[in-house]
Amino acid sequence: MGHPLTDQELIERILQGQQQLFAVLVERYQQLVFTVAHRMVPQREDAEELAQSAFVKAYQNLGNYRGEAKFSTWLYTIVHSVCLTFLRKRTLNVQSLDNDHVYASADNMDGGLRANVVETKSKQATLMQAIQRLSADDAQVLTLFYQAEQSLEEIGGIMQIDPNTVKVKLHRARHRLKTLLEKNYAQEVQDWRH
């Protein structure tokens, strides 16, 4: 093969009986699916289980994918739905931001990006910590826009809101992230500028 198969080519082959190719889609999207799930459900074990459930659901419903949106948008819609169902079913378990587990979870996340430079990894870890401290809504819109590289329309489809509302939410989330970074990570932000 000269080039990697597109998502659509993979889906067509899977539906024609080459089910083992679904592993390629899983590999392609597993980090971002986990990241979206982890933003909505902070407990790592739950997020991993929900990410796996989302892939199972996607596989079971692959025949229903019509290609009207990007596969990634369709997949993130499934992740969002699976996580919302989970959150509705369980009782609220609010964790304090002072909880060491929350910081440890944020430290363990790297969004699938492997930096060769320690400074870049440090910046990324700081950003991930800061994003983890935002509301689930803010964290999700930032993750979908910057990490998953979804358009405003695609994010609107995933979150089931109007694209203009996404634009406003994204603007506000950026502002809250900037404020949080300046207030709680002032030294790190200062170091980035040098």
Side-chain angles (χ1 to χ4, degrees), residues 102-157:
V102 173
Y103 288 111
S105 294
D107 284 338
N108 289 336
M109 294 178 54
D110 69 3
L113 301 175
R114 299 282 183 234
N116 292 332
V117 183
V118 172
E119 182 181 337
T120 303
K121 288 179 101 170
S122 175
K123 284 181 189 178
Q124 185 179 3
T126 301
L127 280 171
M128 295 304 282
Q129 276 185 353
I131 289 172
Q132 186 72 19
R133 293 178 69 177
L134 294 172
S135 72
D137 218 31
D138 285 350
Q140 182 178 26
V141 75
L142 289 168
T143 300
L144 288 171
F145 189 76
Y146 289 106
Q147 285 186 286
E149 299 179 2
Q150 300 290 298
S151 69
L152 296 177
E153 290 77 20
E154 291 164 337
I155 296 169

Side-chain angles (χ1 to χ4, degrees), residues 63-74:
N64 297 330
Y65 173 67
R66 299 285 172 240
E68 294 156 0
K70 289 192 305 190
F71 173 73
S72 58
T73 302
W74 182 76

Side-chain angles (χ1 to χ4, degrees), residues 35-46:
T35 301
V36 170
H38 201 250
R39 292 281 184 250
M40 294 182 72
V41 180
Q43 294 77 20
R44 186 176 188 86
E45 297 78 19
D46 290 338

Side-chain angles (χ1 to χ4, degrees), residues 144-172:
L144 288 171
F145 189 76
Y146 289 106
Q147 285 186 286
E149 299 179 2
Q150 300 290 298
S151 69
L152 296 177
E153 290 77 20
E154 291 164 337
I155 296 169
I158 292 167
M159 296 179 75
Q160 300 175 344
I161 56 177
D162 183 78
N164 287 327
T165 305
V166 173
K167 188 175 182 179
V168 171
K169 283 182 173 287
L170 184 60
H171 175 76
R172 290 178 179 161

